[in-house]
Structures are given as structure tokens and as C-alpha cells.
Amino acid sequence: MNAIQIYLAKSLGLLLHFHRFRSFVVPPILLQFCLGSSNFSLVRLSKMDHAKIFQGIEEDYENLKEILREAVAIQSVSSDPSKRDETIRMVHWMKAKLEEIGATCSLQDLGNQTLEGKEIPLPPVLFGTLGTDKSKKTLLVYGHVDVQPAQKSDGWDTEPFELVEKDGKLFGRGSSDDKGPVLCWVHAIRAAQKNNVELPINIKFCFEAMEESGSVGLEDLLKREQKGFLSDVDFTCISDSYWLGTKKPCLTYGLRGICSFFVEVSGIKQDLHSGVFGGVVHEPLADLFWIMSQLTTVENRISIPSIYDDVAPMSEVEARIYKEIEFDVKEFRESVGASKLPTEDKETLLIRRWREPSLTVHGVEGAFYGKGEKTVIPSKVIGKFSIRIVPNMTPEKVNKIVGDYLNELWKKRGSPNTFNAKPGHSAMSWVADVNDPNFLAGARAMKLVHGVEPDRIREGCSIPITLTFQELTGKSVLLLPIGAADDMAHSQNEKNNKFNYIEGVKTLLSYIMELGSA
């Protein structure tokens, strides 16, 4: 090559990667001049080529479904000690899948934990590396392979650990949260390999099996690996969230944090017969119900004074986002089976869901909750609730505000019972820049696959590890949702639509290719 050819070749290198899955075709004469005719067939990918690759993914559906069936069948319930061997087996199964696509893998030991009075091993964290080319940037992919508990008796229409396809829906625990999306990464890379498409980036994988139980041990491991496994990461992507609706894709740029609380009331040495002792003792459960009833209004607004004071003010730019987002309030209401919502205004509903705090009462420990009747007076009860926090709220301040409020309520109650309110776990909220190269690559990928510009949304849930990755790598983290809003993660009849599963593979492959130009 002469000097002009070398200059043009370098200029075109990034362009060629960027347009692998797009309709752009570099004129053959220019390619031949810059790279020589021998390289021409390796880099020229037209619109027809990406359509061919996508068609191949669709034609491979039955195989992709069978792989998901294998994953769903492994009962990796991290919170259940009796399922711990299955949870560990799931990590080893996933390791084999990564190795099949050429990744170099290692299992990071996290030691043991005490669960239900037993000391059992924690599932190892799976690290994988695919590509070590120092001239390429590196993407870190995070996901989890553990699941929530599930039994058919909970109200499932099918066996939860048997993948069942009905009307284009793949039912099974973990099909959407998060085994399906995790496998989409493997399927995407395999599709590239089948078509001899070189990946323009290196990829690292961090898959855990304790996410549904608080990611025990993961943050400490990642901190130890900040100058090791994480040292060369340029982007991070997590596919463990959902579309706003069921039809239009989105990218998630914000998450609420969380502060959880326990309210304990006790006063008698043991449970008592209500027919013998009813009316002659101060009942802890009655005290607790009174306290818990003072936390929110019937319209789901938090009653705790000053709780809204630190909520970050909304800019005009952000306010316009809520106006422009495509969201069907009626569809949302019907999807959750509600007869009425606290607000039916689209913008107000989204703001309350994403960028204002909310308080949810989760349950009572120590009270009778089974079928039938048990007419006892519980001796000790513990109420549990949490507050989802947003920028600029901090767990430290929220914990103090809530603690002070609960103690003031107890004084008003005037009960002689013993009262103890204490905070549980907490996590900060997270907000990212929707215009950084990572998000723009995700947006281009989604538009290529779905034909529309994705909405930029926040999410009301908390994924604490998102902020951990951002702080330890100092680089952008993208939440790239694959599943639909009605996938029912954590609930009965969890499913992943066939459409979302297949299109998810296409989206992740396109995103990988788009990162080559980021």
C-alpha cells in the first residue's frame, strides 16, 4: 500500500465495522483501492447480509428454545438451601455454554453463608473472557442465573420449572428473569460465529447466582477485581429489565434505590387463646396494624413528613420526555388487573413510578397467614415495608426520617408493649447519560431491529449492582431491556414472548456490532 491507501484504509476501518448490519455498501472500487481485492469479500456486508443472519436466527428458534428449556429445568432458587446444589449446577451449566462459544472462563469462590441455621456454600461467580485484542474496546456483560421460588400450587397454570410454549409465549421460571436474556448473549455471539462475522469488541461476562438473594459476596469480589478483571472495561451492559409496554422497545437510564424497614412489636411471652385472653391484654398485632396504617394515604402518597423534600427537581428537558413517551394507561391498568389506579394521567403515573419515592407494605412476620382459622393472639409480630428512593435522596437521611416518624407514632399510640423499628438493606438510585456512546449504540441497535426509535425510560425497581459497575469501572452502564412489561418476573406464570426472545438475540448482536464504532 502507498501512503494514501494506508490513510484511507484506517479511515474506513471503523466505518466498515459500523455498517456490517446496515444498508450501507462501500463501493467495490474504493474498497479494492484501499484494502486490495483479496480483502474485499471479508468486509463487505450489505443489507441482504444482515437480513440473512437475522433469518438464520429465526430459523434456529427450536434449538434456542431447547437451550432455554434446559436452563429453566435447573431449579436454581438461591434463597432455598435445599436448592443450593441446583443453583451451583446452574453456574457450571452456564460456564459450559460460554466455553462452547470460545470464552475462557473461571469460577470465583465466594465462601459460605449461613441460611436457615445451616452453613452452605455460596454459588461461585462466573467470569468469562471472549477476545483479548488490545486494539479493541471491551464490553462487560452482567446477568444472573438464579431465580425466585416457584411452585404450581402458588397459582401457576403450568409447572414452573418446565418450559411450556403457548400462543407464542414461553412460560417458565427464569424464562425472562434472567436466564432468557443471559442466553440471548450466547445465541447472538454464536450467530456471528456461524456467519464468520468478526466481533469488533472484546467481551467479558460476569454471571452470578445470588442476585435474587441480594447478590451476597458479589460487590466485595468486584471491588477486589477493580484493577484486575474490571480494569480494561470500556462499557457495561445489563439485560435484566423490561420494556415499558408490550410493543415498543426502550432503553433504561435510571433506577430507583431502596430503603427497607422492620417494625417489631411484642408484649406477651407466648401466643395466647383469643377466647380466654381477648380484651384483657394489649395485642401486638393491633398495635402494628395501627402503625402501618399511618404510612400512606389511600392514594398511595407517603404520609411521612419531609420525605419528598430531597427529590431532585425536574428540568424542562426531562418533563418533555414524559410527554413524548408512548404509554397506554388503560393497557397498563388491565395488565395488573386493577379496577382503578391512583392516577390515570399518563405523565403523573410515569413520574410517580420512576422519579418519586413510593412506600410499599410487604407483610407481617409472626401473624397467622394460612388457610382456615387460628384464633390466637400473636406474642410478637414484625411488619415489613420499603421505600423506593430517587435522586437526590440518600439512605442515611431516609432511615433517620422514617425512624423518627415511627417512634413519634408509637408515642401517640400509648401502648405498653415493646416497640422496635430498624432499617434493613438499602441501595442508592442510579441515573445515566442517555447521550453517551454506549446508549447511542444501544439505540441504533434497537432501531435497526425494531424499526423505531426506542423510548428512554427510568425504571421503578432497584438493581444495586448497576451503580457498583459504574463506580468501579468509571465507565457507562447501559440497561438494555429484552423482555416485555407483562412478563411477570417474580410472579406466577412468568414468561418470555417468542418474539422478544428472538428479537433479543438480534438486538444484542446488533448492539455488539454498533459498539465497534462507539
Side-chain angles (χ1 to χ4, degrees):
M1 284 187 177
N2 59 35
I4 295 176
Q5 286 176 314
I6 292 173
Y7 173 79
L8 289 174
K10 289 181 178 179
S11 300
L12 281 170
L14 196 57
L15 183 64
L16 293 169
H17 277 305
F18 178 65
H19 289 287
R20 282 181 186 273
F21 290 143
R22 308 177 88 150
S23 58
F24 178 86
V25 180
V26 180
I29 188 170
L30 183 57
L31 275 170
Q32 289 174 346
F33 176 74
C34 294
L35 301 176
S37 59
S38 62
N39 290 328
F40 176 75
S41 62
L42 297 179
V43 295
R44 183 174 182 263
L45 284 174
S46 65
K47 182 177 181 179
M48 182 180 298
D49 293 310
H50 94 251
K52 178 183 176 182
I53 294 173
F54 286 177
Q55 181 181 351
I57 293 171
E58 294 171 4
E59 292 173 349
D60 200 31
Y61 168 66
E62 289 299 326
N63 178 48
L64 305 187
K65 182 175 73 173
E66 287 307 307
I67 295 173
L68 180 58
R69 186 189 306 281
E70 288 182 31
V72 167
I74 301 175
Q75 300 185 29
S76 51
V77 181
S78 57
S79 62
D80 185 346
S82 70
K83 304 291 186 186
R84 183 51 54 89
D85 287 345
E86 282 284 275
T87 306
I88 293 172
R89 183 165 77 90
M90 184 68 220
V91 177
H92 285 267
W93 183 91
M94 195 65 229
K95 176 175 178 285
K97 293 303 173 188
L98 288 184
E99 289 173 339
E100 287 176 8
I101 58 172
T104 301
C105 298
S106 63
L107 297 177
Q108 306 297 313
D109 181 41
L110 296 179
N112 299 327
Q113 72 169 151
T114 301
L115 198 59
E116 296 183 6
K118 300 177 182 178
E119 186 171 332
I120 57 176
L122 284 163
V125 172
L126 173 58
F127 280 176
T129 300
L130 184 65
T132 56
D133 188 338
K134 294 188 180 300
S135 67
K136 296 179 179 179
K137 293 184 178 180
T138 297
L139 166 69
L140 175 66
V141 173
Y142 164 82
H144 68 91
V145 292
D146 62 319
V147 297
Q148 285 281 321
Q151 299 181 39
K152 191 174 182 184
S153 59
D154 295 335
W156 283 70
D157 296 329
T158 60
E159 290 293 340
F161 294 102
E162 296 178 11
L163 191 72
V164 176
E165 182 173 2
K166 289 183 179 181
D167 302 321
K169 299 177 181 3
L170 298 166
F171 292 94
R173 178 59 91 212
S175 60
S176 181
D177 183 22
D178 183 34
K179 292 179 180 180
V182 163
L183 286 175
C184 283
W185 288 103
V186 176
H187 302 331
I189 294 167
R190 183 177 285 114
Q193 293 172 343
K194 283 183 178 179
N195 289 273
N196 298 315
V197 175
E198 179 187 351
L199 301 183
I201 57 172
N202 304 312
I203 303 179
K204 288 189 172 183
F205 304 91
C206 175
F207 294 150
E208 66 159 321
M210 284 296 292
E211 192 273 346
E212 301 291 7
S213 300
S215 294
V216 180
L218 179 61
E219 184 173 354
D220 288 340
L221 170 65
L222 294 176
K223 287 179 178 178
R224 293 195 300 269
E225 291 292 336
Q226 183 176 18
K227 296 183 179 180
F229 185 73
L230 300 179
S231 61
D232 58 350
V233 170
D234 298 290
F235 315 99
T236 298
C237 185
I238 300 173
S239 290
D240 188 21
S241 55
Y242 300 88
W243 291 1
L244 179 57
T246 59
K247 299 173 184 176
K248 189 177 182 183
C250 63
L251 296 174
T252 305
Y253 71 93
L255 296 167
R256 291 193 292 190
I258 189 171
C259 292
S260 61
F261 300 90
F262 301 90
V263 181
E264 180 181 305
V265 183
S266 60
I268 49 182
K269 67 179 182 178
Q270 65 188 61
D271 293 355
L272 300 175
H273 191 303
S274 65
V276 177
F277 297 96
V280 297
V281 296
H282 288 90
E283 300 186 10
L285 188 56
D287 287 342
L288 179 64
F289 281 168
W290 185 85
I291 291 288
M292 301 293 269
S293 72
Q294 312 294 310
L295 298 176
T296 60
T297 69
V298 71
E299 295 300 324
N300 266 350
R301 307 305 285 161
I302 303 174
S303 300
I304 302 171
S306 73
I307 198 71
Y308 294 99
D309 289 358
D310 288 338
V311 175
M314 187 184 302
S315 68
E316 292 183 7
V317 173
E318 185 187 353
R320 285 198 299 271
I321 291 177
Y322 295 100
K323 295 180 184 293
E324 296 167 358
I325 285 176
E326 186 177 309
F327 180 72
D328 188 325
V329 175
K330 180 175 181 290
E331 180 185 65
F332 172 75
R333 173 167 34 80
E334 291 176 349
S335 72
V336 298
S339 59
K340 185 181 178 182
L341 300 173
T343 176
E344 298 278 332
D345 177 72
K346 181 192 79 169
E347 293 164 44
T348 303
L349 189 152
L350 293 177
I351 289 169
R352 289 186 182 180
R353 182 177 175 183
W354 296 342
R355 58 127 43 234
E356 286 187 353
S358 65
L359 188 152
T360 301
V361 176
H362 302 298
V364 178
E365 181 182 335
F368 174 67
Y369 62 89
K371 294 180 180 180
E373 298 181 12
K374 185 180 180 182
T375 55
V376 300
I377 300 172
S379 61
K380 183 175 75 171
V381 287
I382 303 173
K384 303 175 184 182
F385 70 93
S386 68
I387 296 177
R388 299 287 174 167
I389 63 173
V390 299
N392 297 320
M393 300 170 73
T394 64
E396 294 77 14
K397 187 170 181 180
V398 170
N399 288 344
K400 185 178 188 311
I401 290 173
V402 173
D404 290 347
Y405 178 67
L406 291 172
N407 287 320
E408 283 299 316
L409 282 178
W410 185 247
K411 290 180 183 178
K412 291 180 182 179
R413 178 66 172 170
S415 170
N417 284 329
T418 301
F419 177 82
N420 181 28
K422 59 183 179 180
H425 80 282
S426 63
M428 288 287 290
S429 59
W430 167 81
V431 178
D433 178 6
V434 297
N435 293 310
D436 74 22
N438 197 7
F439 271 79
L440 294 178
R444 292 194 300 268
M446 281 194 157
K447 187 171 183 179
L448 171 64
V449 173
H450 295 281
V452 296
E453 190 72 25
D455 282 331
R456 275 70 164 174
I457 72 166
R458 295 194 189 193
E459 188 53 83
C461 64
S462 307
I463 309 177
I465 205 66
T466 305
L467 189 59
T468 300
F469 281 123
Q470 182 172 290
E471 291 175 343
L472 293 179
T473 66
K475 302 294 176 62
S476 166
V477 180
L478 167 66
L479 295 188
L480 199 160
I482 296 300
D486 62 351
D487 278 357
M488 296 301 162
H490 290 209
S491 188
Q492 298 93 337
N493 300 319
E494 178 185 345
K495 58 84 179 168
N496 192 340
N497 296 330
K498 173 184 176 181
F499 172 83
N500 290 81
Y501 189 39
I502 294 298
E503 300 306 298
V505 178
K506 298 177 187 178
T507 299
L508 296 184
L509 177 54
S510 301
Y511 166 67
I512 289 170
M513 301 309 298
E514 292 291 346
L515 277 182
S517 65

